[in-house]
Every structure is written in structure tokens, then in C-alpha cells.
Amino acid sequence: MMAVGPVSLIVIAVVALIIFGPKKLPQFGRAVGSTLKEFKDATRGLADDDEEEEEKKKDTKKIESNS
């Protein structure tokens, strides 16, 4: 599989500029950015939920072992 280098990124940017035009390209960039931000927040939430569950299990085990 080919690696994406600087030349490839320039070609992709030129093609995107031709397809979407200079007026729509910033809107497209904002949409991609907000989508990535939402995805990042959602995955962070999932990771936080997993950590909370592990802490609850540890707390439960400590309580049971102390009894």
C-alpha cells in the first residue's frame, strides 16, 4: 500500500479545490473538523465510561474483601 506523502496531499487538495470550489471548501473543512471533534468527544466518553466501570469493580472487590 502506498504512503501518503506531501505530493499526494497537494494533488488531493487541488482536486478538492476543483471539485468543491473556493467558496465551498472552507465549509467542507469546518464540517470535517466538527465531525472529527464529535468523534473524539464520543470516544473519550467511552474511555471514561470504561474507567469508571473498572473503578466501581475495584471498589466492590475492596468492600467484599474487607467484610
Side-chain angles (χ1 to χ4, degrees):
M1 195 162 157
M2 295 177 47
V4 179
V7 176
S8 300
L9 291 176
I10 293 171
V11 171
I12 292 170
V14 169
V15 171
L17 185 60
I18 291 170
I19 292 174
F20 296 111
K23 291 183 181 179
K24 294 286 184 179
L25 204 54
Q27 293 173 354
F28 180 70
R30 273 188 233 106
V32 170
S34 65
T35 302
L36 289 174
K37 182 182 178 197
E38 288 178 19
F39 179 75
K40 184 178 175 182
D41 291 342
T43 55
R44 184 180 302 132
L46 290 174
D48 291 343
D49 289 344
D50 289 343
E51 289 174 1
E52 288 175 9
E53 287 179 14
E54 288 178 12
E55 287 178 12
K56 287 180 184 178
K57 287 179 183 178
K58 288 179 183 178
D59 290 342
T60 305
K61 288 181 182 180
K62 286 181 183 178
I63 292 171
E64 289 175 357
S65 64
N66 289 337
S67 297

